Amino acid sequence: MEKLRTMLVGLPRRQKRLIQVSTDVIVVWAALWLAFVVRLGIDDMVNPLRDHLWLFLAAPIVAIPLFIRFGMYRAVMRYFGNDALIAIIKAVSLSSLILGVLVYWYSNHQTVVPRSIIFNYWWLSLIMVGGLRLAMRQYFLRDWFSTVQHVPFTSREDGLPRVAIYGAGAAGNQLVAALRMGRVMRPVAFIDDDASISDRVISGLQVYKPKHIQRMIDITGAQEILLALPSSNRARRREILSFLEVFPLHVRSVPGFMDLASGRVKVDDIQEVDIADLLGRDAVPAQHELLEHCIKGQSVLVTGAGGSIGSELCRQILSLRPTTLLLFEHSEFNLYSILSELEQCVVRESLPVKVLPILGSVRNKAKLLDVMKTWHVDTVYHAAAYKHVPMVEHNIAEGILNNVIGTLNTAQAALQVGVANFVLISTDKAVRPTNVMGSTKRLAELTLQSLSREIAPVLFGEKSNVSHVNKTRFTMVRFGNVLGSSGSVIPLFHKQIKSGGPLTVTHPKITRYFMTIPEAAQLVIQAGSMGRGGDVFVLDMGEPVKIVELAEKMIHLSGFSVRSEKNPHGDISIEFSGLRPGEKLYEELLIGDNVVATQHPMIMSANEDYLPWDVLKARLTELLAAVDQDDYTLVRQLLRDTVSGYAPDGEIVDWIYQQRRLEP
């Protein structure tokens, strides 16, 4: 049987159609003959060659062309579905009607044919033509009993993981069909909140209420639950995930309809539960006029274009149709990756946007100035920065040169060229920082705040006292952690769970704010459109999340239990490694309490203190001199004097400087 199946699947299309047509001719004859048997009985069986030869010749002559016209031979048997069944009903009904007209006309001249024969022929043809195709579909899928549970005398042990589908709607049924065709998992049950379909059978699967999940597990032996709830909001998904957390099941999800429609994923692309669902917060719809204000029809530059935030900014900017999108990035690989993705998007959607990759560093002020002049940049999104707290803590010089001087170079180049809008991507770690990274980001904010208050500043590093008219609107957007960014704890937890643990958390009480990368990028664009100059915008990050609770949820939803003192036989343990250098237990978004609402419900405006431009320039000069002399005691003091609330929790140690001190 397996050899026959393989041979039939491998036949050329023309031979397959010839076999189908020949089979349908035989089926039509059989249906017509049975129609006479049903009407006249066995005793008066018709001899086709003797009694009604003309009718048996006419039936396939009428039916086959109609079958061809309705596309019955274009359908692939393995993917035979509802549309093909409807086509069969139409074709068979029309062919029966035409045959009935021929019988009516011909019977008046020759042999009388009972009128009921046509009705019998119609329903018999439907059963035989349609039934044969359904049977062949199951045959080619190698699964005769996949749509019927509890078939007597049939073995269901095929070694495939047993999964239950949460959601018996359209997405759930598509998922069941995809899993049956792919034969990677065995769907065994539906779970649905709708009381009207509970305890019923859909697509051959029993539908259970959520409160009967344990009974479902005992009966079906389900090992996983797949969430087929693409239209549910995050609050509802969080509620479901919290409910499922107590069961020993691995919980995963299927993509949303927008991802399916865009072609980015298929319905059978199963993925781990989106951590954003655990946060339970729905993104606020964007205000389109704010999105387009600084982008549509303009030349836009994104620094750090290959990073987590920078690349998402580029994706969203591209969809808003600027004339030119400049990708400024110092990592060749990251630049190549985002460029390839954006170029494919331009071709796929026929976008009238010029996308240009520029390899360079924000520490090269001449390059920045040249790029902005050449391409007449209107808007700059400055996302280039070192963001990893422990890494910057021991590479202080690089942190200062990249985060502070890099921002200064980019901002001054924008001011010199006359760029209309400049948006800095900042961080909650700039608020009362305990680390070098946070203090450098606050210094970057102070730089823009000071510049924005100057009508015609003399720029930092200018030997002549030439002032430049300031036409640039500087804006800063401050937010917390983004899910899935480089260095994020979420990918690390996934990796640790796959390797069997343990999950490493720095402290039992550590909390963090979280937001998805697309939501953060969208809010950054909107906030940048609202600034008047020197604004510090703060994104509403929702409630802070305890990292240890997040780790526990991820373990449970992966189908494992937490190993602890109370549960020594659990699967995966959580270990506390201690706070890393410069790390805080919790983050803040505001330095003071002076915050006002804006026209967007997720964006607030903070009124933060700043330094006069001349004072800040003097501090920056001292800071660079201290870095150049490897005097990190002075660096620490200058940062404390300049950045409000900066309180380092230990000695500032630059690895290179420390090694130099140890050498004889």
Side-chain angles (χ1 to χ4, degrees), residues 2 110 177 271 290 361 380 491 563 649:
E2 184 62 32
Q110 302 282 341
Q271 58 196 23
L290 290 179
S361 168
V380 173
R563 189 189 310 146
D649 60 356

Side-chain angles (χ1 to χ4, degrees), residues 361-409:
S361 168
V362 290
R363 290 164 60 176
N364 186 342
K365 57 185 178 182
K367 175 93 174 200
L368 287 164
L369 186 62
D370 192 34
V371 169
M372 293 186 200
K373 275 184 179 178
T374 303
W375 295 101
H376 309 288
V377 172
D378 299 296
T379 301
V380 173
Y381 291 95
H382 182 53
Y386 291 141
K387 304 180 181 71
H388 196 272
V389 170
M391 197 74 71
V392 177
E393 198 68 12
H394 296 303
N395 292 274
I396 301 158
E398 289 301 309
I400 291 172
L401 293 174
N402 196 71
N403 293 1
V404 181
I405 304 306
T407 300
L408 178 67
N409 291 340

